[in-house]
C-alpha cells in the first residue's frame, strides 16, 4: 500500500525496480504507551533491532536481492538510517539520510527530554544515542543531505555528523 506522505518517493523507487518496505519500529507513536516507552532513555537501540528484524524478513523472501538492501529516511528516519549503516552494516548496503537528528542535545528539548530526560542527568544515554558515536562502523554507501524541511533538526546536526565521519576516515556523499 502507499502511504500519502511517501507515495511519490516510493513510487519513484518502485518504477526503477526497487522493492519498498516501510516498517514502524518500537517507539513509534500511535500504538499505545507500552509500544512507545521502550525507547525511554534508550533511543536508537530497540528501533534498530526492529529494523534489522524487518530486513531479515525481507531476506527470507525469494524475490529480494539480499545483498543489495538500502535504507532511507528523514528526520528520525534519517537518524535510523545512520544507526543502521553504522551499527548493522552487514544488513544494509546503502542509505540516504535526510535531515537526520544525530545528537539529541541539539534537538527540540520538549520532544527530546520527554524520552531522554535532561542531558546533564543522562549524559551516557545521550552519548549512546548519538549517531556520531558509531561513525566508524560505516561500511556501505551513505548519501547525507540536509535542508530546511524539518525545523526541529538544525543543520548543526548534519555538520556534527559530517565532522565525525571525516575524523573516522569514512567516504560518503
Amino acid at each position: 500500500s502507499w502511504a500519502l506522505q511517501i507515495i511519490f518517493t516510493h513510487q519513484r523507487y518502485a518504477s526503477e525496480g526497487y522493492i519498498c518496505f516501510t516498517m514502524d519500529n518500537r517507539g513509534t507513536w500511535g500504538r499505545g504507551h507500552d509500544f512507545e516507552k521502550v525507547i525511554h532513555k534508550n533511543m536508537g537501540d530497540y528501533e534498530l533491532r526492529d529494523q534489522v528484524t524487518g530486513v531479515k524478513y525481507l531476506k527470507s523472501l525469494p524475490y529480494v536481492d539480499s545483498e543489495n538492501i538500502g535504507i532511507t529516511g528523514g528526520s528520525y528516519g534519517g537518524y535510523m538510517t545512520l544507526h543502521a549503516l553504522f551499527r548493522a552494516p552487514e544488513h544494509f548496503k546503502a542509505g540516504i539520510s535526510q535531515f537526520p537528528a544525530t545528537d539529541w542535545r541539539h534537538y527540540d528539548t520538549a520532544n527530546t527530554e520527554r524520552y531522554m530526560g535532561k542531558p546533564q542527568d543522562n549524559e551516557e544515554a545521550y552519548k549512546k544515542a548519538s549517531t556520531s558515536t558509531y561513525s566508524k562502523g560505516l561500511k556501505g554507501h551513505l548519501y547525507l543531505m540536509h535542508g530546511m524541511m524539518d525545523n526541529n533538526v538544525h543543520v548543526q546536526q548534519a555538520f556534527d555528523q559530517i565532522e565525525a565521519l571525516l575524523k573516522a576516515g569514512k567516504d560518503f556523499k
Side-chain angles (χ1 to χ4, degrees):
S1 69
W2 301 108
L4 184 59
Q5 70 270 25
I6 55 175
I7 190 168
F8 298 115
T9 304
H10 281 189
Q11 283 186 354
R12 173 67 180 165
Y13 291 154
S15 74
E16 296 292 328
Y18 293 96
I19 296 169
C20 297
F21 175 80
T22 301
M23 186 186 84
D24 287 340
N25 44 251
R26 284 175 283 181
T28 306
W29 67 275
R31 291 196 171 79
H33 185 67
D34 287 343
F35 194 76
E36 289 180 41
K37 74 178 182 182
V38 71
I39 67 169
H40 187 251
K41 297 185 179 182
N42 193 26
M43 293 173 78
D45 191 35
Y46 286 100
E47 306 98 293
L48 179 58
R49 291 182 203 180
D50 293 347
Q51 293 294 320
V52 168
T53 298
V55 167
K56 287 179 180 178
Y57 165 73
L58 287 175
K59 288 180 176 183
S60 75
L61 302 174
Y63 53 86
V64 172
D65 180 354
S66 63
E67 299 300 315
N68 288 303
I69 293 179
I71 184 169
T72 186
S75 193
Y76 203 91
Y79 170 73
M80 288 312 305
T81 296
L82 294 174
H83 272 291
L85 290 174
F86 300 167
R87 298 175 57 202
E90 67 276 15
H91 297 289
F92 301 95
K93 185 172 183 177
I96 302 170
S97 179
Q98 305 164 62
F99 48 96
T102 62
D103 188 326
W104 297 109
R105 288 174 282 226
H106 303 308
Y107 195 75
D108 172 13
T109 56
N111 288 316
T112 301
E113 291 179 6
R114 176 174 17 148
Y115 291 102
M116 295 291 286
K118 293 180 180 178
Q120 61 270 27
D121 298 335
N122 197 18
E123 185 58 37
E124 188 57 36
Y126 272 80
K127 181 180 178 185
K128 183 181 171 204
S130 172
T131 59
S132 296
T133 302
Y134 307 98
S135 297
K136 291 179 182 178
L138 177 64
K139 293 187 179 19
H141 304 284
L142 168 61
Y143 187 83
L144 176 64
M145 64 177 83
H146 197 95
M148 301 302 171
M149 187 173 185
D150 187 333
N151 61 1
N152 289 318
V153 183
H154 191 275
V155 71
Q156 185 63 45
Q157 301 238 22
F159 295 156
D160 289 349
Q161 184 60 71
I162 289 167
E163 183 177 3
L165 286 163
L166 292 172
K167 283 183 179 176
K170 296 299 178 177
D171 186 33
F172 64 98
K173 294 189 182 326

